[in-house]
Amino acid sequence: MKVAIRDDDTCYFTPPEALERVYHDVWDAVPVCLATVPFAIGYERAGIPREHWHSGAAFPLERNADLTAALKTLIAARRATISLHGCTHQDFPDGFEFQAARDPERRVRDGLRHLRDTLGAAISVFVPPHNALSRRGLAAVGKAGLNILGSFLSFRPSMRPWDRRTLANWWRVRRFRRATGRMKSDRFVYPYVLRYARHAEFGCHSLIPGTTLEELTAGFDEARRVGGDFCLATHYWEVDDRMKQVLLRVLDHASRFADVRFVAAEELFA
Ligand SMILES: [Zn+2]
């Protein structure tokens, strides 16, 4: 069984110490997939200076030299991998970036180029800002050949571009939902990789304020029982002492099983 960690929102506004604070005692054992924003535009959240919440100004990652140096060191030490987390992560009046932007194709292209040029990192995974993807956003990401790590991705064929595997995947998810006694409205994380014609998708379990250890271990145990894999997703900027304890205890729970391998999130798709 593969177990991975994804952490969202590394960007120009991220002090390297903020990542160190959360992961210093984690990433030697479990590499962290840092879902990174190449040209961050501010929005309302902790860790982004208030004057940039609505300034609309874009901050290229390369302008934070301390951070890019730290990221390169982390990548070289295999403590971290880099995935693409939108292009600007900006919120539009009518939706999140990969729902509402009119040019998702360009955003994928420019974002990838900037991360590859700035960090020299191999990038094979896309994490949608706010886990939100329109049909066109999904098509743009799939066309670039990037795999998607999401949480609560929609599997409805009407919500996604059609390819030769769409229908079979929809049936797989539906069968799993029925076999586990879930209603259509119940949110759940499908514990296997879904492979489409040009990309693959995998769902993560979110660790946010309020998430309990029991919820996460139940998700892990279910994935384990059915022969699936498990990825935890969180945001370094909201990890407090309580969330950190939950994180450590989930990893501790997972490490009790001899067949569990802690991997970089990219390996979930191998
Ligand atoms: Zn984000």
Side-chain angles (χ1 to χ4, degrees):
M1 180 182 190
K2 292 186 267 194
V3 175
I5 298 178
R6 156 193 146 201
D7 184 283
D8 294 359
D9 297 341
T10 290
C11 67
Y12 169 86
F13 298 110
T14 307
E17 308 77 57
L19 299 172
E20 181 82 31
R21 178 185 69 85
V22 177
Y23 294 113
H24 67 96
D25 53 354
V26 170
W27 50 27
D28 282 320
V30 192
V32 179
C33 176
L34 297 173
T36 302
V37 186
F39 299 99
I41 288 179
Y43 62 103
E44 293 187 26
R45 78 149 163 91
I48 295 182
R50 194 172 281 263
E51 65 264 33
H52 296 306
W53 282 0
H54 304 287
S55 72
F59 291 86
L61 187 77
E62 66 177 355
R63 277 171 51 190
N64 186 337
D66 284 352
L67 176 65
T68 56
L71 291 176
K72 285 180 184 171
T73 305
L74 291 171
I75 296 164
R78 298 184 183 278
R79 288 173 158 179
T81 57
I82 304 292
S83 57
L84 181 64
H85 189 38
C87 182
T88 62
H89 205 299
Q90 75 202 96
D91 296 340
F92 289 84
D94 52 345
F96 298 127
E97 187 184 9
F98 272 72
Q99 292 176 306
R102 277 168 302 180
D103 53 353
E105 300 82 8
R106 180 197 64 77
R107 286 166 185 266
V108 170
R109 198 169 53 238
D110 291 358
L112 268 182
R113 189 188 304 127
H114 190 70
L115 290 188
R116 284 173 175 154
D117 290 353
T118 305
L119 302 173
I123 294 164
S124 62
V125 168
F126 182 87
V127 174
H130 303 278
N131 296 299
L133 270 179
S134 68
R135 188 184 167 115
R136 182 169 165 200
L138 205 162
V141 173
K143 206 170 166 193
L146 297 173
N147 297 318
I148 298 173
L149 272 182
S151 312
F152 304 116
L153 291 167
S154 174
F155 301 109
R156 276 190 294 155
S158 64
M159 294 291 290
R160 44 175 58 251
W162 187 264
D163 74 41
R164 63 179 190 275
R165 297 191 165 176
T166 307
L167 188 62
N169 284 338
W170 181 72
W171 274 106
R172 276 189 190 103
V173 174
R174 194 181 140 115
R175 204 163 52 222
F176 181 81
R177 190 168 57 217
R178 286 199 171 164
T180 54
R182 289 175 162 98
M183 308 289 287
K184 214 170 172 179
S185 56
D186 290 337
R187 295 186 119 198
F188 68 99
V189 179
Y190 184 71
Y192 311 101
V193 170
L194 284 169
R195 296 188 189 280
Y196 292 87
R198 298 176 72 169
H199 77 285
E201 299 176 14
F202 189 74
C204 304
H205 294 256
S206 296
L207 169 58
I208 57 174
T211 304
T212 64
L213 176 65
E214 292 67 33
E215 289 171 291
L216 292 174
T217 52
F220 172 89
D221 291 343
E222 176 176 68
R224 184 178 167 68
R225 202 161 51 240
V226 300
D229 297 317
F230 182 86
C231 186
L232 191 71
T234 193
H235 306 90
Y236 68 90
W237 53 265
E238 65 179 3
V239 174
D240 57 11
D241 290 347
R242 190 202 70 85
M243 285 173 66
K244 177 65 188 279
Q245 282 311 307
V246 172
L247 170 69
L248 290 176
R249 290 173 70 185
V250 174
L251 296 175
D252 192 49
H253 178 75
S255 67
R256 289 190 203 121
F257 300 93
D259 64 323
V260 162
R261 278 195 305 131
F262 293 110
V263 299
E266 289 77 2
E267 279 187 53
L268 294 165
F269 299 102

